[in-house]
Amino acid sequence: MNHPETAAIARSRRVPYGLLVIGVLLVLPLGVSSGQHSHGAVLTLTWPRVWSGDEPHYLLMLNSLISDGDLDLRNNYAALWQGSQQAGLLFAGTPLDHHTKWYEGNRLVTWGGGASSTHPPSHEYSWHPPGLPLLLAPLLRPLHDTRWVEPAAVACTALTTLAGLGFFCLLVRGYLPDEMPVWPAAAVAFLGTPLWHYTRTLYCEPYLATFAVGAYALAFRRSAHLSAGLLLALGMTMKPPFVLMAVPLAAALVGKDGLWAMVRLGLPICLALVWIFGLNYWMHGSAFRSPIQWAPGDISAGAVGLLSSRIHGLLPMAPALLPVIAAWPTFLRRHPREALALLAASALYFGLMANWIAWHGGACYGPRMIVPILPLLFAGAAVMPICGWWSFRPLRGAAIGACLLSILFNGVAAFSHGQVWMCHPVDVMVRWLTQ
């Protein structure tokens, strides 16, 4: 066997091992629990659990679907107060607030502000779109009324992120020379960003990240436009603004794959819109009555915050963003059509979240609201080794250092998920060293 053939075989073996390590690291935090104010052991081995924020409310919706067969949460919240684990082990028997809304005339009322209403609703529906629990319900129906629903639901998030890792590799493989492995770019995108932390949560954002990168990978690499549209449609049922991700993809297909490709991409998206309007009508009496009303904020403050805030900014959590941005000119020059589509999708979604009054995502870790675009934005990491500046040792060393620092920060956030809410991973590391 000659030397080129030997080198090719070695490369083919090396890539899967690197991806295997990334996959193992992604799911490893599932078996770890960490309290927000732990003063004993920092990390504890346990079954996957929901922690806080919106997670218990998504879990409650899931249990309502698989146990009651409906989305009416009134009885489920009542059972929770009496000791039920439908919102997770940590919330059994606690007075968890109701994430529900209803209309009184044309006025949208929240449970916290309308609990004393003279016209309480006969049904309580969540203000969170039901796409996530509806997706998980058929898979977890056999576990209904057991304590395994919670860990299985969190594990589904990790499995979905692993699928996103596969889609990412499929996408960026087309931007790399044959001799270059794909796993370094995947490590930066999945371990070096807040996506690693959200892989062990019951939030919609890691699902949306997988759907986004999956749609673009399937459309660009497999011409599987119907499947790409289906992923975008699933994302819309979780967060309707996710429809923005379809616009640059559709524009990229114009003139290349033809009208039939556009029809296949758009069909599931149109069905998702019909589903959303129908659900609004069923729950709230009108197709245009949504439990989430658009509340614009200061887009400049939101944009600066999402990029640079110490608590909710991407750059402080993932300094690898700097060399990735430096790689984007090369990316745009070498692959203009696809790079423009990925950049436009990232910019559209980023702009919308920056203009949302709650751009920070509430009490959470890092820039939760833009987690869905991270695999698209960090696709530029694939071309870093072929950038002109990469040949200069100081710049190359700085880029590698930024990537390693990003993996360290987000590794801390992934394994100490309960301690990094509303703080930076450095704060957690300092707390560990001073305990």
Side-chain angles (χ1 to χ4, degrees):
M1 184 177 295
N2 59 37
H3 178 71
E5 292 175 338
T6 304
I9 293 175
R11 286 194 301 271
S12 68
R13 290 175 177 173
R14 186 168 63 247
V15 172
Y17 289 146
L19 292 178
L20 179 62
V21 171
I22 295 171
V24 170
L25 288 173
L26 276 175
V27 303
L28 205 56
L30 286 180
V32 172
S33 176
S34 62
Q36 190 172 12
H37 303 290
S38 173
H39 297 288
V42 175
L43 303 178
T44 305
L45 295 181
T46 184
W47 292 105
R49 301 291 181 191
V50 300
W51 173 248
S52 189
D54 298 335
E55 289 185 283
H57 303 278
Y58 281 118
L59 184 60
L60 195 75
M61 290 167 59
L62 174 61
N63 275 297
S64 179
L65 280 170
I66 64 178
S67 296
D68 304 337
D70 60 36
L71 287 168
D72 180 8
L73 304 181
R74 193 170 189 175
N75 64 307
N76 303 96
Y77 277 115
L80 171 65
W81 286 39
Q82 297 171 7
S84 168
Q85 296 186 19
Q86 293 184 54
L89 181 63
L90 291 176
F91 301 93
T94 64
L96 188 66
D97 61 324
H98 296 205
H99 279 201
T100 57
K101 292 183 180 181
W102 62 91
Y103 280 85
E104 294 184 356
N106 292 321
R107 184 169 67 100
L108 184 61
V109 179
T110 64
W111 180 83
S116 60
S117 168
T118 57
H119 303 286
S122 57
H123 300 86
E124 281 192 53
Y125 296 118
S126 176
W127 70 51
H128 302 290
L132 176 56
L134 283 169
L135 179 65
L136 297 181
L139 301 174
L140 303 185
R141 177 66 176 82
L143 301 177
H144 71 98
D145 298 323
T146 73
R147 61 190 179 95
W148 298 110
V149 175
E150 180 182 8
V154 178
C156 284
T157 307
L159 293 175
T160 300
T161 309
L162 288 178
L165 175 64
F167 285 135
F168 180 85
C169 294
L170 175 64
L171 177 67
V172 304
R173 178 72 267 176
Y175 310 134
L176 293 167
D178 291 339
E179 70 274 8
M180 289 179 58
V182 73
W183 66 263
V188 174
F190 282 75
L191 302 181
T193 69
L195 183 55
W196 193 1
H197 166 86
Y198 284 99
T199 295
R200 61 90 43 233
T201 67
L202 193 60
Y203 276 104
C204 294
E205 280 73 18
Y207 286 84
L208 299 181
T210 292
F211 297 156
V213 71
Y216 279 80
L218 290 173
F220 288 158
R221 298 289 169 262
R222 295 288 184 264
S223 295
H225 306 112
L226 183 64
S227 297
L230 179 60
L231 290 179
L232 294 174
L234 287 174
M236 290 168 58
T237 66
M238 297 181 185
K239 302 280 185 179
F242 193 69
V243 68
L244 284 178
M245 306 300 292
V247 177
L249 182 57
L253 297 179
V254 173
K256 179 181 183 295
D257 296 294
L259 179 61
W260 180 234
M262 298 284 290
V263 171
R264 286 181 292 173
L265 178 72
L267 180 60
I269 295 173
C270 292
L271 293 176
L273 286 173
V274 172
W275 162 262
I276 292 169
F277 289 142
L279 204 60
N280 286 342
Y281 182 82
W282 175 52
M283 290 182 172
H284 304 292
S286 170
F288 302 102
R289 277 186 170 182
S290 170
I292 299 293
Q293 294 183 333
W294 174 251
D298 184 342
I299 189 171
S300 59
V304 171
L306 284 172
L307 287 175
S308 62
S309 165
R310 187 175 185 273
I311 304 302
H312 294 297
L314 180 57
L315 185 58
M317 306 298 176
L321 178 65
L322 289 177
V324 169
I325 290 175
W328 265 90
T330 300
F331 191 18
L332 288 164
R333 186 171 59 254
R334 287 175 171 262
H335 310 278
R337 183 180 69 91
E338 295 185 2
L340 277 173
L342 295 172
L343 186 60
S346 301
L348 279 174
Y349 201 82
F350 178 91
L352 183 69
M353 294 301 107
N355 196 36
W356 173 241
I357 192 172
W359 60 265
H360 43 74
C364 61
Y365 166 67
R368 176 170 72 90
M369 304 306 289
I370 59 170
V371 165
I373 63 172
L374 294 183
L376 305 186
L377 185 60
F378 277 75
V383 302
M384 279 199 297
I386 58 178
C387 292
W389 54 263
W390 186 262
S391 60
F392 294 92
R393 183 175 297 178
L395 294 179
R396 181 171 67 248
I400 293 173
C403 293
L404 293 177
L405 193 60
S406 297
I407 292 173
L408 172 63
F409 286 167
N410 291 286
V412 171
F415 283 94
S416 62
H417 59 279
Q419 298 185 21
V420 293
W421 281 49
M422 303 301 291
C423 70
H424 193 278
V426 169
D427 300 332
V428 176
M429 291 188 282
V430 170
R431 194 181 308 149
W432 289 350
L433 293 174
T434 55
Q435 278 184 350

